Amino acid sequence: MFCSLSDALLISIGVAGISIFLNNYIDLVSDWLFGISAIWLVGYGLLRLRDAVIGKSILITENSSANGLVSTLSILVVLTFANPHVYLDTVVLIGSVSQQFPGDTKLAYVIGASIASFVFFFSLAYGAKYLSPIMQKPAAWRLLDSFIAFIMFTLAIKMAQAVS
């Protein structure tokens, strides 16, 4: 829940913040934003493709005692807000993409992106329990890395196509 709410907050800040910052300059910088976003996604896709080919990804599980709520939330705060990727993904990338939507449709975009984030994090949390035995196998990691690479390349193509 914490990760989902944090993502929704950062998505909202990204859409609102970038909109205010770039409102008068969007025509001048949108090609740069979409171009840089496409390059970033290609780079990330290449990293996932490399891992899919090498196949060295592994899931390490440990038996540990449950931490308390405060300890868990403290770790989540650091992992969320000290991670530069969260800002690149939510504030910069999602905020930049929102610039193609006029007026009130940006609110629908924020709601849709936030719902997607909730679905992602809850699926990740609940799915992890069921998928952990499967993810012990290197072939499963290769498949996952290949799928992520495909998604990153697809998004990069869409971003590049948005450049006028």
Side-chain angles (χ1 to χ4, degrees), residues 10 26 39 52 64 92 97 108 116 123 132-133 136-137 139 152-153 157 162:
L10 291 170
I26 194 62
I39 292 168
S64 63
V92 177
V97 171
S123 297
S132 63
Q136 298 290 332
K137 302 172 185 167
M152 295 301 110
F153 293 141
I157 289 168

Side-chain angles (χ1 to χ4, degrees), residues 45-125:
L46 288 172
L47 290 174
R48 298 289 55 88
L49 190 59
R50 179 200 65 192
D51 289 347
V53 171
I54 294 173
K56 290 189 177 181
S57 297
I58 187 170
L59 178 66
I60 299 172
T61 59
E62 340 177 320
N63 292 331
S64 63
S65 61
N67 294 331
L69 180 62
V70 173
S71 174
T72 301
L73 286 176
S74 299
I75 292 168
L76 285 173
V77 166
V78 171
L79 288 175
T80 298
F81 295 107
N83 176 4
H85 292 278
V86 75
Y87 300 104
L88 289 171
D89 293 344
T90 57
V91 177
V92 177
L93 184 61
I94 292 175
S96 298
V97 171
S98 74
Q99 297 308 298
Q100 65 185 314
F101 302 109
D104 292 340
T105 56
K106 282 186 185 179
L107 177 60
Y109 178 77
V110 168
I111 292 169
S114 296
I115 289 171
S117 179
F118 272 77
V119 168
F120 170 76
F121 280 112
F122 278 88
S123 297
L124 185 65

